[in-house]
Amino acid sequence: MKFLTRVLTSLHGRIIKATGKLGGGTEDGSLLVLEHTGAKSGKKRETPLAFLNGDGGYLVCGSMAGAPTHPAWYHNLKANPDAVI
């Protein structure tokens, strides 16, 4: 299941970057692609995230759909805080 989630997330991110927008996200469909580095692998990752505007920046929630653990991108940012939107 983890592998499938990773593949679909990567595909989703590529579609967003290619088209500029894809359904989902917040009510207005606001999505960004977070480019970050894997904490263990050191590989470049792209994760599409819904966001809200807040104080001149972006607000994202690392909820993993309400799961009791943080999503992988959260751990990646803690290990490698340099990221690009």
Side-chain angles (χ1 to χ4, degrees), residues 21-40:
K21 191 169 183 179
L22 186 67
T26 59
E27 286 183 15
D28 66 355
S30 299
L31 292 169
L32 58 79
V33 177
L34 178 69
E35 297 178 2
H36 52 99
T37 304
K40 295 179 184 175

Side-chain angles (χ1 to χ4, degrees), residues 10-57:
S10 176
L11 179 61
H12 193 186
R14 290 175 190 203
I15 292 171
I16 292 168
K17 287 177 75 172
T19 63
K21 191 169 183 179
L22 186 67
T26 59
E27 286 183 15
D28 66 355
S30 299
L31 292 169
L32 58 79
V33 177
L34 178 69
E35 297 178 2
H36 52 99
T37 304
K40 295 179 184 175
S41 69
K43 292 181 180 178
K44 297 294 182 191
R45 305 282 186 201
E46 294 182 344
T47 304
L49 299 170
F51 73 92
L52 298 171
N53 292 311
D55 288 332

